[in-house]
Amino acid sequence: MTTPLAGIRVVEFGHYIAAPAATQLLCDLGADVVKIEPPDGDQARGIGAYGEGIVLAFNRGKRSVVLDLKQEADRETALRLIAGADVVVQNLRAGALARLGLGPDDLRAAHPRLVFVSVSGFSSAGPSAHRPGLDIAAQAESGLMSINGEQDGDPLRVGFPIADVAASYAVVQAVLAALLRRERTGEGGVAEVSLLDAAIHLQSAMWGEWHAAGQEPRRKGNGQATVAPAADLVHTSDGTIVVSAYTPEHFARLCRFIDKPWMLDDPRFADNPSRVANRKALLAEISQALGALSTENCLALLAEHGIVAAEVRTYRDVAAAADVHASGILTTGIGPDGERYAVPSLPFALDGVAPAADRAVPRTGADSEAPAWREP
């Protein structure tokens, strides 16, 4: 079966994560992605192991063409590439492409069917339009850090670039929506995604909770602020699990399973507000009952009783997990030096679309001289 985006060409002007991660998803859906890199390459290529990880994760199966956009001849090459493209995705500095005559107004005037998507730290309509804005800035200013961490500790960032990744998903949604509209109207379009907006959108449920609870969400560690037990850590004999059983039905099941039905009549645990207020005592009772069980037995028994629980895994554990192998989320990439590695592929299953394995990450400029990439 033909992949969904077969025949769609995407030109990427991208560094680091947000734009390259979005075009990687488009590439995995069958799009032909041409990555335009400056002479020094994507900036991620020069920041050590973390940058190398970014390059390996988000550049499989792409073509790399080096162009110095300050040079007229290279700008002309970029324009020829764009003339044969369906989509442009970029996350360069605000206004950088427009100053070179490659902005959305110029390109859409020449190519009305083109879809042009920009990724930035902050909205171009706001006072921070020209501020540098990486993932950490979005985590801080979206409110995300204010709710992440221990109750009495400092705000913490999420341990991976969550705003960048959320923005990449939003870019893909925008591209697919614009391509669908183009099929219906013949017109392309211009879209904008900011890391700040993406990070705020991730927290939509918390905005609802702010309204419902009448107070701002706050840091609570692993436990959720208004229900318990919920996302709470419990140590087993050989590891750690999280347990959620906060509805009346599920809490009753948990109490019966751990052979402590008296907890249902204890005023400390009678309802969610009481359990939240007495979370430490609640977890002590649960941990005392489950601590003698192995993680495997604990999860199996809790599942039998319809109680949500999960093992806290390391990356090595995740890579070996049967559910992960069954889903096919991990595929095989090939680095610029030929090394093979495991990497996540599409985060959904669609009939006729198999995870794209054995796709290589290009060296900087690997396709610069290939005639097919220099013409529409």
Side-chain angles (χ1 to χ4, degrees):
M1 184 180 294
T2 302
T3 51
L5 295 184
I8 296 294
R9 175 175 285 185
V10 178
V11 173
E12 174 206 309
F13 297 90
H15 292 280
Y16 297 117
I17 296 177
T23 58
Q24 180 66 69
L25 289 167
L26 298 174
C27 187
D28 287 344
L29 286 169
D32 172 15
V33 178
V34 183
K35 182 181 182 75
I36 306 299
E37 300 193 61
D40 292 336
D42 182 331
Q43 291 174 13
R45 293 186 188 266
I47 59 170
Y50 178 59
E52 182 181 358
I54 291 171
V55 172
L56 293 176
F58 302 126
N59 293 282
R60 295 170 292 107
K62 299 180 183 179
R63 309 283 182 165
S64 172
V65 173
V66 165
L67 296 176
D68 183 352
L69 297 177
K70 296 178 181 178
Q71 304 300 318
E72 184 176 353
D74 282 5
R75 284 199 304 276
E76 290 297 322
T77 300
L79 286 168
R80 289 198 300 273
L81 281 166
I82 292 167
D86 300 278
V87 179
V88 171
V89 177
Q90 70 92 16
N91 68 341
L92 305 187
R93 293 187 310 276
L97 284 181
R99 289 191 291 273
L100 295 168
L102 298 170
D105 293 340
D106 297 310
L107 298 182
R108 289 269 293 120
H111 310 290
R113 288 176 56 81
L114 184 69
V115 174
F116 189 106
V117 185
S118 294
V119 191
S120 56
F122 306 94
S123 168
S124 64
S128 297
H130 292 279
R131 282 175 58 197
L134 297 178
D135 175 271
I136 187 58
Q139 288 202 39
E141 297 200 6
S142 68
L144 184 58
M145 287 181 66
S146 76
I147 63 170
N148 194 45
E150 294 299 327
Q151 182 172 356
D152 299 323
D154 288 333
L156 292 177
R157 73 175 185 92
V158 176
F160 69 97
I162 190 170
D164 275 326
V165 175
S168 75
Y169 290 167
V171 169
V172 172
Q173 292 175 36
V175 167
L176 296 180
L179 288 174
L180 178 59
R181 185 176 66 182
R182 189 180 75 172
E183 286 298 305
R184 294 171 171 171
T185 68
E187 288 289 318
V190 177
E192 177 183 311
V193 174
S194 80
L195 303 187
L196 178 62
D197 287 351
I200 291 172
H201 190 269
L202 281 176
Q203 300 169 77
S204 296
M206 306 309 295
W207 284 78
E209 182 179 318
W210 181 17
H211 170 75
Q215 61 182 15
E216 286 200 45
R218 60 191 187 276
R219 292 188 298 285
K220 197 69 176 179
N222 285 302
Q224 294 179 351
T226 58
V227 289
D232 284 298
L233 287 178
V234 175
H235 296 292
T236 63
S237 65
D238 60 354
T240 306
I241 65 171
V242 287
V243 177
S244 286
Y246 49 85
T247 67
E249 177 186 359
H250 289 96
F251 184 63
R253 290 182 188 176
L254 177 63
C255 291
R256 288 193 292 269
F257 165 64
I258 63 176
D259 197 25
K260 297 190 178 189
W262 57 264
M263 291 174 63
L264 295 171
D265 299 318
D266 190 314
R268 297 175 299 168
F269 311 133
D271 52 29
N272 268 307
S274 300
R275 293 195 292 273
V276 169
N278 295 283
R279 189 186 296 267
K280 185 175 181 179
L282 172 70
L283 293 180
E285 296 292 346
I286 297 172
S287 296
Q288 185 273 329
L290 300 181
L293 298 174
S294 70
T295 295
E296 183 178 359
N297 287 341
C298 204
L299 293 180
L301 291 169
L302 288 169
E304 285 181 14
H305 288 78
I307 297 168
V308 174
E311 177 184 6
V312 178
R313 292 172 173 164
T314 66
Y315 276 45
R316 188 180 299 277
D317 295 334
V318 174
D323 287 317
V324 175
H325 281 275
S327 75
I329 180 64
L330 293 180
T331 188
T332 302
I334 303 175
D337 296 324
E339 73 278 16
R340 292 178 176 269
Y341 59 97
V343 65
S345 184
L346 291 171
F348 57 84
L350 178 63
D351 62 319
V353 180
D358 300 329
R359 303 187 76 174
V361 175
R363 293 179 180 272
T364 304
D367 302 280
S368 293
E369 302 305 320
W373 309 111
R374 302 182 71 86
E375 301 296 337

